[in-house]
């Protein structure tokens, strides 16, 4: 009864926002507000809805303001820039760098030449002798509108923090050299459009709406009546038609119809799931092999990759048998086998097939490490967090209120116990990475930032932490560079545009103080970033410079 009253209030709040924003935006506003509900624990739904209504109106007004401002600002960069004397490392070449001069013209790389440019009169010049120029980095697994520690509608209680965070997200990715990101689950395109309209942002691609089965992961997080609105690409399973609600039209929910909608919305990939549940959710429905083959066939016809959420032995075995293109996570759930000293033969057999079939592999070790960080008392004192999180939000992250997620996960268990629990999963994930690295698997760099609601996955910085984890686990520095540039670009059909430092490519570049083929710390020595030819300095992208 109480929950019904809550949704009545939501409807009133939505209606008032809808009127304020204009009727044309009404239905997308509804979806926008419903959209983030899926990550809510039940008790948060009982938040004060009047506060919610007021705050959402304020957020809406401010976002329109940001949008207007951003379209009014034009880039002051000159059309041409010579980057002179850098050691250029480009992943299509096996060498560890050549001193080359790079001409940027507009948003493209116009020349990469060993001879010093004769005429630089009309170009800006960046002297880069002794530094290292690499292609802009690509993170192919992000969730740009998820906010660590602030689920919806807790957002209503902190509209200023929400606004500051969402404004900073694209800047934080750029701060760490990520000039291309792929959002794998879009429940509402509008916040992404706002980010794309901001003055500085990475190239943002997406997989459109993801494909769960009815009531399957992750749609089970939303109230039953909102699941299809939040996940309009929910697919009907030919092996389980009895689970498909009579109120929906099954022909609109075939894999082919879903993939068509993704392409129509500009999506470049298909995201789906094999997840029986974790935490409080167990025995969730999973797709049948027939359905997954249909999804794979529909995506193949559209020439886009299928990313499967799969973290267990069962799920990755299923993915291999269905012919998916990319695993969106590492394999840290070895159930029913324990994580002893040696890797179980069954796990190794799956990994051998991952290598053999050249499946793209996003190890996402920071999913686990980011949960573990909740139980590290010194974590928020890291000075690099200030680069990516607005000061007011960082202050709030230290508050007792912000610890709710940590407490929710621990259920009274001491910090040390939680640290060790995640440590064991991290060790399994790291062993998998080591094995795959030794066998030259096709790693794709993807962080899953933020994975759930942990403050241990902060935009941009999380990528650097993931890189350190991968290298610690055994990934070679060249493997890492390839995973974050050319391999990622190829896997998403973007290698005609990005991924190397070559003429004709989009001018997405990162200038480093040291070589990324010598140490992973090079990725923390960023001196300049170019995205579509726009020259940016890391300090200007940091959160206290908003
Ligand atoms: Zn994800």
């Amino acid at each position: 009864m109480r929950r019904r009253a809550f949704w009545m209030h939501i409807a009133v709040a939505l209606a008032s926002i809808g009127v304020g924003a204009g009727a044309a935006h009404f239905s997308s506003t509804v979806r926008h507000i419903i959209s983030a509900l899926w990550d809510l624990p039940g008790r948060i739904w009982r938040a004060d809805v009047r506060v919610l209504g007021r705050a959402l109106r304020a957020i809406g007004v401010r976002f329109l303001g940001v949008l207007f401002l951003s379209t009014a600002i034009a880039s002051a960069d000159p059309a041409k820039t010579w980057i002179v004397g850098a050691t250029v490392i480009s992943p299509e070449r096996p060498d560890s760098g050549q001193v080359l001069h790079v001409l940027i013209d507009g948003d493209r790389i116009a020349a990469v030449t060993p001879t010093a440019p004769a005429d630089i009169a009309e170009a800006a010049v960046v002297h880069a002798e002794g530094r290292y120029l690499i292609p802009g980095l690509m993170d192919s697994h992000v969730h740009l509108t998820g906010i660590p520690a602030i689920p919806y509608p807790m957002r209503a209680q902190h509209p200023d923090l929400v606004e500051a965070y969402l404004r900073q997200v694209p800047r934080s990715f750029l701060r760490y050299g990520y000039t291309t990101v792929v959002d794998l689950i879009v429940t509402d395109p509008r916040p992404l459009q706002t980010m794309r309209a901001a003055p500085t942002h990475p190239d943002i691609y997406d997989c459109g709406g993801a494909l769960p089965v009815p009531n399957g992961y992750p749609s089970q997080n939303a109230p039953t009546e909102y699941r299809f609105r939040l996940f309009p690409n929910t697919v009907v399973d030919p092996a389980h038609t009895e689970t498909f609600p009579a109120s929906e039209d099954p022909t609109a929910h075939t894999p082919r119809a879903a993939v068509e909608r993704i392409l129509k919305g500009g999506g470049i990939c298909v995201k789906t799931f094999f997840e029986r549940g974790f935490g409080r959710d167990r025995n969730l429905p999973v797709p049948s092999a027939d359905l997954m083959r249909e999804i794979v066939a529909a995506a193949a016809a559209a020439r886009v990759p299928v990313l499967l959420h799969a973290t267990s032995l069962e799920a990755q075995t299923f993915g291999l048998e269905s012919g998916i293109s990319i695993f969106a996570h590492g394999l840290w759930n070895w159930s029913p086998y324990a994580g002893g000293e040696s890797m179980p033969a069954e796990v190794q057999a799956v990994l051998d097939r991952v290598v053999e079939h050249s499946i793209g592999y996003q190890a996402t070790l920071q999913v686990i490490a980011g949960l573990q960080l909740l139980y590290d008392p010194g974590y928020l004192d890291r000075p690099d967090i200030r680069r990516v999180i607005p000061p007011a939000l960082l202050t709030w992250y230290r508050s007792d209120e912000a610890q709710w997620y940590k407490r929710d996960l621990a259920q009274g268990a001491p910090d040390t116990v939680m640290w060790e629990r995640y440590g064991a999963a991290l060790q399994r994930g790291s062993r998998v990475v080591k094995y795959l690295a030794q066998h030259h698997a096709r790693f794709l760099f993807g962080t899953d930032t933020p994975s759930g609601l942990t403050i241990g996955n902060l935009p941009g910085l999380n990528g650097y932490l993931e890189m350190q984890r991968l290298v610690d686990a055994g990934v070679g520095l060249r493997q890492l560079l390839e995973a974050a540039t050319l391999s990622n670009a190829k896997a998403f059909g973007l290698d005609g545009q990005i991924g190397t430092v070559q003429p004709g490519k989009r001018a997405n570049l990162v200038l480093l103080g040291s070589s990324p083929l010598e140490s992973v710390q090079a990725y923390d020595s960023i001196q300049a970033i170019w995205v579509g030819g726009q020259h940016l300095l890391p300090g200007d992208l940091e959160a206290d410079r908003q």
Side-chain angles (χ1 to χ4, degrees):
M1 199 60 204
R2 186 147 179 208
R3 184 147 145 201
R4 193 166 166 180
F6 172 74
W7 286 108
M8 289 278 288
H9 279 291
I10 288 271
V12 171
L14 292 178
S16 63
I17 297 162
V19 169
H25 291 281
F26 182 64
S27 64
S28 59
T29 304
V30 172
R31 276 190 63 204
H32 173 49
I33 287 164
I34 295 166
S35 68
L37 287 171
W38 64 275
D39 58 5
L40 277 188
R43 62 191 169 77
I44 307 280
W45 293 337
R46 294 192 287 273
D48 183 334
V49 287
R50 276 166 300 180
V51 175
L52 170 69
R54 272 202 305 276
L56 286 173
R57 269 197 300 277
I59 293 165
V61 167
R62 282 181 198 149
F63 260 73
L64 286 175
V66 169
L67 193 64
F68 176 76
L69 192 67
S70 62
T71 51
I73 295 172
S75 170
D77 284 340
K80 292 185 182 180
T81 301
W82 275 105
I83 305 170
V84 176
T87 299
V88 176
I89 300 173
S90 192
E92 84 284 6
R93 296 197 318 256
D95 60 77
S96 53
Q98 297 175 14
V99 175
L100 295 165
H101 312 286
V102 175
L103 175 64
I104 297 172
D105 189 354
D107 64 354
R108 298 279 140 184
I109 297 171
V112 180
T113 164
T115 46
D119 178 18
I120 54 173
E122 291 195 0
V125 176
V126 174
H127 286 282
E129 292 85 354
R131 289 174 248 171
Y132 296 81
L133 190 69
I134 61 170
L137 302 171
M138 174 169 171
D139 185 340
S140 57
H141 186 161
V142 303
H143 302 287
L144 293 171
T145 55
I147 306 182
I150 310 186
Y152 229 82
M154 191 194 262
R155 295 184 182 202
Q157 296 153 35
H158 303 286
D160 294 342
L161 300 181
V162 168
E163 188 215 347
Y165 177 85
L166 292 175
R167 191 146 37 105
Q168 179 59 29
V169 165
R171 297 158 49 87
S172 292
F173 276 103
L174 284 174
R175 166 61 186 82
Y176 277 90
Y178 298 98
T179 53
T180 302
V181 294
V182 186
D183 193 312
L184 298 192
I185 305 177
V186 180
T187 46
D188 176 6
R190 292 203 317 162
L192 292 192
Q193 284 161 5
T194 302
M195 287 184 190
R196 286 175 176 128
T200 46
H201 60 88
D203 294 341
I204 299 172
Y205 294 91
D206 65 73
C207 297
L211 278 64
V213 292
N215 306 314
Y217 181 86
S219 72
Q220 92 287 354
N221 286 304
T224 315
E225 59 271 39
Y226 288 93
R227 288 176 189 166
F228 271 77
R229 285 168 75 177
L230 188 51
F231 291 92
N233 289 336
T234 301
V235 277
V236 57
D237 194 332
H240 296 286
T241 47
E242 76 283 358
T243 64
F244 195 79
S247 54
E248 298 288 332
D249 171 12
T251 63
H253 294 277
T254 61
R256 192 197 283 211
V259 171
E260 264 172 32
R261 276 192 294 272
I262 290 168
L263 294 183
K264 219 171 140 190
I268 61 164
C269 39
V270 171
K271 173 79 186 288
T272 187
F273 312 88
F274 188 103
E275 176 61 68
R276 291 194 188 275
F278 48 84
R280 294 202 178 94
D281 291 308
R282 305 280 163 167
N283 303 318
L284 296 173
V286 292
S288 68
D290 285 347
L291 173 61
M292 194 54 63
R293 278 189 218 105
E294 271 189 41
I295 292 173
V296 167
R303 297 170 174 270
V304 292
V306 176
L307 289 94
L308 184 69
H309 164 105
T311 65
S312 68
L313 193 55
E314 180 196 18
Q316 296 210 348
T317 302
F318 174 84
L320 286 166
E321 279 160 12
S322 324
I324 61 99
S325 336
I326 298 168
F327 282 125
H329 291 291
L331 174 48
W332 51 71
N333 175 356
W334 292 355
S335 179
Y337 306 98
E341 273 309 301
S342 59
M343 184 186 281
E346 292 78 2
V347 171
Q348 192 176 311
V350 163
L351 301 182
D352 286 339
R353 289 168 71 188
V354 166
V355 173
E356 187 192 334
H357 297 287
S358 195
I359 306 295
Y361 213 86
Q362 298 177 332
T364 65
L365 291 177
Q366 274 299 112
V367 169
I368 304 297
L371 290 166
Q372 194 185 41
L373 282 174
L374 286 169
Y375 304 93
D376 173 356
Y379 169 62
L380 286 176
D381 296 330
R382 290 181 65 115
D384 43 14
I385 287 180
R386 292 200 291 268
R387 296 171 175 172
V388 296
I389 291 300
L393 183 56
L394 182 53
T395 301
W396 184 76
Y397 278 167
R398 295 178 188 279
S399 71
D400 185 64
E401 185 191 6
Q403 312 312 311
W404 71 270
Y405 187 57
K406 170 184 171 175
R407 285 193 287 258
D408 207 54
L409 291 172
Q411 296 291 307
D415 285 8
T416 48
V417 169
M418 294 304 288
W419 180 270
E420 279 166 28
R421 194 177 294 170
Y422 289 119
L426 194 51
Q427 209 169 43
R428 291 191 294 272
S430 300
R431 275 202 213 157
V432 163
V433 166
K434 182 178 185 179
Y435 187 86
L436 291 175
Q438 285 168 344
H439 293 80
H440 309 289
R442 186 163 65 97
F443 285 106
L444 302 178
F445 187 80
T447 56
D448 193 14
T449 303
S451 166
L453 290 156
T454 177
I455 57 172
N457 288 167
L458 302 177
L461 173 61
N462 200 43
Y464 180 51
L465 299 183
E466 176 78 9
M467 286 183 160
Q468 289 177 301
R469 290 266 166 215
L470 293 172
V471 171
D472 284 351
V475 171
L477 291 167
R478 187 174 289 277
Q479 282 177 310
L480 177 61
L481 179 68
E482 286 171 359
T485 57
L486 188 55
S487 296
N488 245 348
K490 281 182 180 167
F492 288 82
L494 299 172
D495 51 315
Q497 294 290 314
I498 56 168
T500 62
V501 184
Q502 288 179 297
K505 293 263 170 107
R506 194 164 154 75
N508 288 3
L509 299 160
V510 178
L511 188 64
L512 302 171
S514 59
S515 170
L517 298 180
E518 283 170 20
S519 85
V520 71
Q521 282 77 28
Y523 293 103
D524 198 22
S525 70
I526 294 180
Q527 310 209 337
I529 303 111
W530 285 265
V531 58
Q534 186 186 11
H535 184 194
L536 301 163
L537 299 176
D540 293 340
L541 295 163
E542 293 182 0
D544 56 359
R545 300 281 283 274
Q546 261 194 27

